[in-house]
Amino acid sequence: MVRIEKIVCEGFKSFKRKVSVPFTYGFSVVTGPNGSGKTNIADAIYFVIGSGTRRSLRAKKSHELIFQGNDKKQASDYAKVIMHLDNSSKTLPIKDEKVTVSRRVNKAGVSTYRLGGRIATKQEVMDLLAQAGITADGHNLIQQGDVTRIVEMGPVERRRIIDEIAGITEYDEKKDKALKELGKVEEKVREAEILLEQKDELLKKIKAERDTALDYKRMQNSLRLIVATNAYKNLNNLVKKLESAEKGSGEKEGEIGALSKQIKDTEKKISGMEAEMEAITGKVLKVSSRMEEANRLNELQTRLGMKRERIKMNQREIERISELIERLSTLDKREGPAVKAVLGRNGVSGTFSELVMVPPQYKTAVEVAAGGHLGDVVVDRHTNAVECINYLKANKIGRVRFLPLDKIAPRPKQDLPRGAIGWLSDLVHHDPKYSGIVNYVLGSTMCVNDIEKARDLMKGEARHRMVTLDGDLVEKSGAMTGGFYRKGGSGGTNIKQFLDSRKGLEDENETLNLDIQQLNNELEAIKGRGEELESVTKLEEKRVLISKEVERLREERDALYDSRGSLQEESGRLSVRQAKYEANLDTAKLDWQKYQDMEKEIKASEFMEQPVTVLEERKQQLLRMMDEIGPVNMKAIQEFDSFKDEFETFKTKVDKIIEEKTSIENTITGIEKKKRDVFNICLEKISKHFKSIYNELTQGDADLRLDSIGDMDSGLQIYASPPGKHLLNIDSMSTGEKTLTAFAFLFAIQNHKPAPFYILDEADAALDKANTKRVAELVKKHSKIAQFIIISHNDQLIKEADQVYGVSMEDGESKVIGIQLPNN
């Protein structure tokens, strides 16, 4: 550690001639009567290390430090002090083991500093000395009144001593610098955020206009695509209609020609048969005497034919009714027109009732449990269901419930309670691919024998949906539906009516067969009366047959005439329609020319699958929406992208400024934390030294406390308990106790931040003899590790000193002599 080897004064205050005062490493005392100039030795040290305060040097101006002279002594031209330092420890960053520092001030008040003989600046000297812990305002320099000042100063001022020792000023300077930077950055942030907010508002406005423009453009594109699709569909439709009309017209002409030929052939047949009838009539008239029996024969034959025809007709009706009864008996669910309309479309598997096979014993239970789901239509994917719904809606057919295989999630099954037959989904048969649908409809319903069993199962904690074999239903909520169930619904009554009708027709056929047998018997009797009558009868029968055939042919001819007339009318309408299609086709071709380049887009669009009526509704909707939008700024589409890039660039700059602000704030927070940590550590260590030193001086206890714990801006209170007393605040102590406590506080500071040397200028003035002895012993102990120079005329201090220097005043000039003390 650096120490003072000697001080050389010349022209400084009361030292006119060059005076050299050597100091050893230990405990030195400078003594002498009041006014002898002994304190000027301490002032010389303050002067050379850079002190410039009036208080420390006791001079208002620098030139007042020069020896002023008197009647016997001439005044000096300058004041000069040289301090020789031992740097063998290399504490100072200079290779020399001996370092000299000097300061010279002339009458003009100009100071000159030198280091090792070369001129140096004051700052250079102070920076060098500071590295050895030597500063002009260090607490190792205790002047007259410093001890008393510590006693008298307020708590906040006393705390500032800790701030200074801890180096808090450095952190405050850093914080102030950071706060200034923060202020500038915050101003930048405020300005930038104002601009950013303005730009954001403008961006939002442009974005709104851009979005409106994009919506309008999409509507325009959709509208154009719809119009183009309509034009494409209209053209293709007209082409198909024209082809169909041309084909139909050709077919009608062919049919008309064929009918004309049939009419001609039929009229030819009628003419031939009428001639044959006339010939037969002539023959019959020759044997008119036997006509009555012939008429009876004809009547019997006619009645016989009618009854046989009636039996055939009844038999056909019986077969039709039997088939209908069979269909009604096996049909589980009648299909409405909406269901029929979607069956067979793409992705449609069928109705739920068609896809499950129900054993007879569970039929009633399934009908009741499934309810309206029996008529639900099962589809492969939900998109198939959407297509079917759009189809039903567009054609106004009706409504259907769809069960998509890819969306319906089966309900989770629970454990089957004891006494139940089983879950309905497990009691029916179906293709495995429909398991999800069957579980969805029937998986949460279990089948039980009767309502009593359902009642017993309801007593358990778990609730289930249950259905009995005869159709009683118990919901999970506890709601019950039951009573007499008419199997097959309203169809049962119709089957009974059909059965009655069939029985009536069968009975009628039996009666007709009996009548036919009687008529055959009578007919055989008449035929047995002779060949002549038989001949007449045969002729009459032939005439009747020819007459009927003629009548049939006439009706056929008339029907052919009507058909040909209808065909001729329809052919005329087709010709008119064909001409209309041809005219419309020309217009459609002109319309399509505008959209030919969109053919691929049209074929790939959703509009191709939609009916023209739906497209027209969508077109009108788009027109209304576009009209509601009003004027549109289409330039906003390009303006938005450009302005957005500009906005993002500016926002990035703002973010960087904000990051800079955050960084500074974090730095300030870090400085505050570091400052607090350094302060607390310093206070803790000084307090520890204070307790130790006070105990060493008085064998009492002492403590340093902040007015507000944890608040480093609050005041510092000094507490001590002199022997025989409680812990007292320094303000409550006697003068001697205060001084001793203050000494302990100052020495605690020195222990925390050791200095190479300590100067005490009459700091012991307020101590009594006993306390002076304690301080002297303390100094003696600490002088083994540091150099102490004490200005005093206290006998107790002088006795403990390693060397003593006496200062006297002769003719206004101070003189220094060494005093040899006895070893005891």
Side-chain angles (χ1 to χ4, degrees), residues 219-230:
M219 291 179 193
Q220 281 182 325
N221 292 338
S222 295
L223 185 62
R224 178 175 170 79
L225 186 57
I226 289 173
V227 173
T229 304
N230 278 338

Side-chain angles (χ1 to χ4, degrees), residues 150 158 162 201 257 287 338 349 391 483 502 633 716 723:
I150 289 171
R158 195 179 294 134
I162 306 298
E201 289 297 323
V287 287
S349 300
Y391 173 77
R502 185 173 68 179
N633 178 18
L716 179 68

